[in-house]
Amino acid sequence: MNFQQLRIVRETVRQNFNLTETGKALFTSQSGISKGLKELEDELGVEIFSRFGKRLVGLTEAGSDLLKVVNRILLDAENIKRVASQFSGRKKGNLTVATTHTQARYVLPDVIKRFMLDVPEVHLSLHQGSPKEIAELLLSGDADIGIATETLAQIPDLISFPCYEWEHGIIVPNDHPLLAVDKVTLEDLSKFPVITYHPSFTGRSHVDHAFRKANLEPDIVITAMDADVIKTYVGLGLGIGVVSSLAFSPERDVSLALIPAGHLFGSNFARIAVRRGHYLRAYAYDFIGRLAPDLTESALRQKIYA
């Protein structure tokens, strides 16, 4: 048994049991993948994968249990390298942050700028994606830190912490009739076409829940993955926007106005997440602390390695 065989098992599952794609991901031939799996199964004396002819179609019961161990072993092997790097060069290395457009565009710029000025020897990579994609990057080890509002708290293999609280706002053109309303209601909003986030993004579940609870059906005409797109179509007069209030800037959005909507949709919490058991370098805790000062390194370590 060797690490390459374990990597083949893990990657085969990631590639939906497609050995050609597994070979591409591991930079080896399909025949080399098949040979590695066969040798491991022969050594263990059990079948790891279910087969239909020569094609892999899933994991056996033994394979499902074995995959959990494989993932732990490979995670610990990666952690060994991170521990060594931690003590050989405390402020040198790589940090990968995965987040949504809203966080990357409106929350993180100042944090990242200060971090890169203070820790110049760390190479920071920023990946944008949906909350589901962020979770997958964390689980695969391709990202160290994830930041999003949706999804991250629901995945058992991730540890997540509240980062900051925010509320939705209603974006309208400067001459919109809603600006004359003292306190906007859901009934008021239901009279206009609505442009808001895709269902998997940025507190959209709170918006849907509020309308359902009021027995109202909003006329959602466009959904998008980031607030800039939403504001563009609001500016074209195609509807009113429901976005994170953080995405509105009076200086930039001069043709638009923001109506606070916390009383309609409640509060939302952006969350920071890391993979359970994933070893973080000191500068990763430094980065997290800049976003959420109450999250100390010692408290985070206790949760991550519990």
Side-chain angles (χ1 to χ4, degrees):
M1 186 188 307
N2 56 57
F3 280 114
Q4 181 63 4
Q5 290 171 326
L6 301 184
R7 293 188 188 98
I8 290 173
V9 171
R10 180 177 68 180
E11 196 60 38
T12 298
V13 176
R14 287 181 179 176
Q15 299 299 331
N16 200 26
F17 310 104
N18 185 318
L19 296 187
T20 300
E21 295 303 317
T22 301
K24 290 179 182 177
L26 296 177
F27 304 100
T28 190
S29 65
Q30 181 176 337
S31 60
I33 297 295
S34 297
K35 181 182 177 183
L37 293 177
K38 177 73 165 54
E39 290 176 345
L40 180 59
E41 287 182 323
D42 288 345
E43 182 179 349
L44 296 176
V46 295
E47 287 192 347
I48 299 171
F49 295 97
S50 300
R51 291 169 169 83
F52 184 78
K54 293 184 178 181
R55 186 163 58 91
L56 304 186
V57 294
L59 287 166
T60 63
E61 183 179 355
S64 295
D65 286 345
L66 184 140
L67 179 63
K68 298 173 186 176
V69 180
V70 166
N71 285 332
R72 287 201 302 269
I73 290 172
L74 292 176
L75 176 60
D76 283 341
E78 292 159 3
N79 283 342
I80 289 171
K81 295 178 182 178
R82 295 187 184 99
V83 171
S85 297
Q86 166 77 0
F87 290 97
S88 63
R90 288 183 177 271
K91 290 192 175 182
K92 294 181 180 180
N94 300 298
L95 179 65
T96 301
V97 178
T99 190
T100 61
H101 170 87
T102 297
Q103 317 295 332
R105 175 70 178 84
Y106 298 105
V107 178
L108 292 179
D110 288 342
V111 174
I112 289 176
K113 179 181 178 180
R114 292 196 305 272
F115 179 82
M116 294 182 71
L117 289 173
D118 293 342
V119 197
E121 293 180 302
V122 172
H123 177 75
L124 190 147
S125 298
L126 185 65
H127 292 282
Q128 292 183 53
S130 69
K132 183 174 182 290
E133 291 168 336
I134 293 166
E136 290 171 351
L137 287 169
L138 290 170
L139 292 172
S140 68
D142 293 324
D144 302 297
I145 297 169
I147 306 166
T149 297
E150 306 280 2
T151 301
L152 301 182
Q154 302 165 11
I155 299 176
D157 287 336
L158 298 181
I159 301 291
S160 70
F161 309 86
C163 178
Y164 63 86
E165 186 176 6
W166 61 271
E167 295 181 345
H168 283 95
I170 303 158
I171 303 290
V172 295
N174 282 330
D175 58 354
H176 198 277
L178 280 179
L179 292 171
V181 178
D182 288 336
K183 190 172 184 180
V184 172
T185 66
L186 291 173
E187 287 80 4
D188 294 326
L189 297 187
S190 65
K191 298 174 184 176
F192 301 93
V194 174
I195 305 170
T196 189
Y197 296 110
H198 182 274
S200 65
F201 277 75
T202 318
R204 169 66 188 276
S205 59
H206 284 201
V207 174
D208 293 340
H209 175 74
F211 279 108
R212 281 197 305 269
K213 188 176 179 181
N215 292 316
L216 293 170
E217 186 71 31
D219 180 19
I220 297 178
V221 293
I222 298 175
T223 62
M225 295 183 180
D226 68 69
D228 289 337
V229 172
I230 294 169
K231 290 189 292 185
T232 296
Y233 287 103
V234 170
L236 293 173
L238 299 182
I240 61 174
V242 179
V243 300
S244 166
S245 58
L246 297 169
F248 179 79
S249 168
E251 294 77 19
R252 290 191 302 265
D253 303 316
V254 292
S255 64
L256 302 174
L258 173 72
I259 301 171
H263 65 289
L264 299 178
F265 305 119
S267 296
N268 300 265
F269 285 92
R271 301 185 72 86
I272 296 176
V274 299
R275 182 179 175 183
R276 192 183 298 273
H278 181 81
Y279 184 87
L280 295 177
R281 301 278 300 275
Y283 51 71
Y285 292 108
D286 178 359
F287 183 88
I288 292 172
R290 292 167 188 258
L291 273 170
D294 292 339
L295 293 179
T296 64
E297 180 174 343
S298 60
L300 286 167
R301 284 182 179 275
Q302 288 178 8
K303 295 286 187 180
I304 294 170
Y305 304 120

